[in-house]
Amino acid sequence: MEKPKNARILFLDMMRFLALFMMIQGHTVYAMIDKEIREGGSTGIYIWTFFRGYTAPFFMVIAGAVFTFLLIQENNVRVQHNFRIRKGLTRVLTLLFWGYLLRFPVQSLWSRISQASADVAMAVDVLHIIGLGLLTVMTVFTFSRKYIIGLMLVFFGLFVTVAYLSPHVTTINYHSQPQPVFSKDYLGVHLIENTPELADSLNLHDNDGLYIQSVVAGSKAEELGLQSGDVLMRIGYQDVCSIGELPIMESRQIYGRYANIKVLRGKKMVDVAWNYDRKVSLFPNFFTLWINSEKTYAGKSSPFPVFPWISYMLFGGFFGAWLAFLNLKGRLSSWMDIKLAVLGTLLIVWSEIGDKLEIHYYGKSNFWGHIDGMGSSPNLVLHRIGVVILVGAFFAFLARFIKKLPPLMNQMSRNTLWLYVGHLVILYWIRPSIYRERFDVIGTIVCVIVMFALMIAQTKMIEAKSKAGSWKAYWSNVYLKLKRR
């Protein structure tokens, strides 16, 4: 592979800033607006939700493209000497660290937590997938870097493979599904679902409670005083409706905490004192939460699992390698808006053809995963990426007339990770401890403006720290300036 020419792609910088804008406003509106408005289905909310669906794809495609393009720029040195590789590995560790830290249940530092809280903390989010995506890009680059066209083909092949496997992988539940505490091999009770006849004889509604058919001699249930013929009505604060819901209900309990059991015995409601005794388990769901969005037995799932979300990073790798190839041939700035418009249109046409084929084969569209036993279609992935590329075509057109972005936009784009972390810390760590009320539309818009002002301030601090050389030097300078006043 020849040495690529150094270049900075203006339309990519514009796209990075738009991705940052979409991310910050999306999270802020979601966290601050009144839930009744957010879930009300108004035209404005529908439009906001529609565009918000493109935020993560936009973010991931651009992250993959920019990193791959810059990685290829340093292809003239050995892999072990490529500072982009070293910087990328550091970035991967940073992304994973902050990905888990932002979800860390702080209350676990001073008290026990439920299994549901533990599963939320282990769930995979955008930062995790970007980290894994960057690691994948570096791995593919290491083995294919000598042939840029081969690099493009590998990325594209991986993208197509993940996109088309996703509908099938996302229907498999890999999580550990332990038996509930109320089972014959743990607590020592045999439960059966309530029946209309049984409910009628006990003056219950059809779906109330679970009938204790028998209690195992010498079991924990016998020690607690549960008896055959009891109807299990409540665990803690939760009404019992079905055996299938027991694992989810129990996952909300906390080990060692009082979880009063209510049973109907004859015509009388009886309280049975019990301390919940299942400990929180981190494994093996720590790994299975990476794979897809199937729920754990605690009823929790990952918002951004590997299937299908890493496909956006893989396409970003292909996109960045393609841009590097054009740069190598000296055609990076030649009709780029037209090239991107053609590429984006091809992806959307591919998506539409795929959707028609699904309708022909299955009898209905699976675009949103409406076919039983399948996850969302690869056509959704293709459509979203096509829209991202068409937006890039628009910015490439603007780049014909705009030759330089304002310094602040470049600074914010360079510090996307820290702005991502910063605004989430404000929204989900600091804000709840100060003010928990939500706002109407006008109040939420004000919150978005304030959040952007805070992110600008954070950017200025980071840039000043870079000039000073370290945070210690930065705060020393701040102290000296304040002292002079």
Side-chain angles (χ1 to χ4, degrees):
M1 188 188 290
E2 302 173 51
K3 180 180 178 181
K5 304 171 185 178
N6 289 328
R8 187 166 188 89
I9 308 178
L10 188 62
F11 79 85
L12 273 186
D13 289 337
M14 294 179 182
M15 293 178 77
R16 288 172 75 183
F17 185 79
L18 177 61
L20 179 67
F21 171 82
M22 292 168 66
M23 174 191 70
I24 292 175
Q25 70 81 19
H27 285 149
T28 305
V29 171
Y30 187 86
M32 304 302 287
I33 198 166
D34 187 271
K35 287 185 179 180
E36 290 186 5
I37 299 175
R38 192 182 73 192
E39 298 167 4
S42 65
T43 302
I45 287 296
Y46 176 81
I47 294 171
W48 173 79
T49 303
F50 175 81
F51 283 107
R52 190 168 183 253
Y54 291 91
T55 302
F58 209 104
F59 208 77
M60 291 178 183
V61 170
I62 299 308
V66 170
F67 184 76
T68 305
F69 182 83
L70 294 176
L71 193 60
I72 295 174
Q73 298 298 298
E74 303 299 323
N75 198 37
N76 57 314
V77 298
R78 290 178 177 272
V79 170
Q80 59 266 36
H81 298 142
N82 189 324
F83 87 95
R84 291 286 175 191
I85 293 285
R86 296 197 299 272
K87 187 175 180 180
L89 290 173
T90 302
R91 178 56 58 92
V92 169
L93 293 175
T94 304
L95 286 164
L96 294 177
F97 171 79
W98 280 104
Y100 281 115
L101 184 62
L102 287 172
R103 287 183 161 271
F104 181 75
V106 180
Q107 68 272 26
S108 67
L109 295 175
W110 58 81
S111 65
R112 295 189 178 109
I113 59 173
S114 67
Q115 184 64 50
S117 297
D119 285 356
V120 169
M122 293 186 293
V124 176
D125 217 325
V126 171
L127 294 184
H128 301 86
I129 292 300
I130 293 178
L132 180 62
L134 296 184
L135 187 60
T136 305
V137 166
M138 288 184 284
T139 302
V140 173
F141 172 80
T142 300
F143 290 103
S144 309
R145 70 191 190 94
K146 290 185 179 180
Y147 309 100
I148 193 167
I149 293 179
L151 193 62
M152 291 165 53
L153 291 175
V154 172
F155 280 129
F156 192 78
L158 289 172
F159 156 68
V160 171
T161 300
V162 172
Y164 278 87
L165 278 179
S166 292
H168 309 286
V169 174
T170 52
T171 61
I172 303 172
N173 195 322
Y174 297 94
H175 304 306
S176 172
Q177 300 287 340
Q179 290 289 323
V181 172
F182 278 87
S183 67
K184 59 183 179 182
D185 60 341
Y186 194 133
L187 202 63
V189 293
H190 296 96
L191 298 169
I192 61 173
E193 301 278 359
N194 210 341
T195 63
E197 295 77 18
L198 184 61
D200 186 58
S201 67
L202 297 172
N203 295 320
L204 299 172
H205 295 296
D206 287 353
N207 61 345
D208 276 354
L210 294 174
Y211 187 74
I212 299 178
Q213 190 176 39
S214 62
V215 176
V216 177
S219 65
K220 178 75 172 179
E222 189 177 63
E223 291 179 21
L224 292 173
L226 294 173
Q227 301 175 11
S228 299
D230 287 348
V231 180
L232 177 65
M233 300 295 294
R234 196 173 178 86
I235 301 175
Y237 60 88
Q238 303 167 102
D239 291 327
V240 176
C241 296
S242 69
I243 293 175
E245 290 182 356
L246 279 176
I248 297 175
M249 294 175 61
E250 292 168 7
S251 72
R252 298 169 185 152
Q253 304 297 324
I254 298 175
Y255 175 71
R257 292 281 182 87
Y258 181 69
N260 189 48
I261 301 170
K262 284 186 179 292
V263 297
L264 183 65
R265 185 171 295 161
K267 302 292 184 180
K268 185 180 179 183
M269 195 70 72
V270 178
D271 289 337
V272 178
W274 175 48
N275 288 333
Y276 186 69
D277 54 0
R278 182 190 287 283
K279 293 183 179 179
V280 166
S281 174
L282 296 181
F283 298 97
N285 292 345
F286 180 87
F287 298 108
T288 57
L289 278 162
W290 277 84
I291 300 173
N292 60 36
S293 56
E294 285 295 302
K295 291 183 178 181
T296 66
Y297 75 93
K300 304 302 178 181
S301 60
S302 293
F304 293 94
V306 168
F307 291 91
W309 290 100
I310 201 168
S311 61
Y312 296 100
M313 289 292 295
L314 293 169
F315 185 88
F318 160 77
F319 186 39
W322 178 60
L323 294 175
F325 175 76
L326 293 178
N327 181 44
L328 180 67
K329 300 300 182 182
R331 301 201 296 266
L332 187 59
S333 58
S334 175
W335 298 100
M336 181 51 67
D337 49 352
I338 304 299
K339 293 172 185 174
L340 292 178
V342 171
L343 177 59
T345 302
L346 286 174
L347 288 166
I348 291 177
V349 169
W350 183 0
S351 169
E352 290 298 318
I353 293 173
D355 193 49
K356 296 292 187 295
L357 290 174
E358 282 184 347
I359 294 172
H360 175 75
Y361 187 78
Y362 296 109
K364 62 179 179 179
S365 172
N366 191 48
F367 194 80
W368 297 105
H370 290 157
I371 295 178
D372 292 338
M374 293 181 67
S376 61
S377 169
N379 301 314
L380 175 61
V381 176
L382 291 166
H383 175 85
R384 282 174 166 170
I385 295 176
V387 171
V388 170
I389 300 301
L390 287 179
V391 172
F394 172 72
F395 283 131
F397 174 75
L398 291 182
R400 290 173 177 260
F401 313 101
I402 302 172
K403 301 304 178 185
K404 189 177 180 182
L405 292 180
L408 179 61
M409 290 178 67
N410 280 326
Q411 291 169 1
M412 294 184 75
S413 296
R414 282 200 304 268
N415 294 292
T416 299
L417 171 61
W418 302 118
L419 298 183
Y420 183 97
V421 171
H423 87 281
L424 288 186
V425 168
I426 292 171
L427 287 175
Y428 296 109
W429 286 12
I430 298 175
R431 179 248 174 180
S433 62
I434 298 174
Y435 188 75
R436 289 182 173 271
E437 296 298 320
R438 291 175 177 263
F439 301 92
D440 58 11
V441 174
I442 300 300
T444 303
I445 292 173
V446 172
C447 290
V448 171
I449 294 171
V450 171
M451 182 61 74
F452 269 99
L454 292 172
M455 293 303 98
I456 290 172
Q458 183 182 347
T459 301
K460 292 297 184 183
M461 286 178 61
I462 294 172
E463 292 296 316
K465 170 260 178 184
S466 297
K467 290 180 181 179
S470 67
W471 282 113
K472 183 178 180 181
Y474 167 76
W475 288 114
S476 295
N477 292 339
V478 171
Y479 174 75
L480 290 173
K481 287 179 181 179
L482 292 175
K483 193 175 180 180
R484 289 172 190 155
R485 289 185 176 180

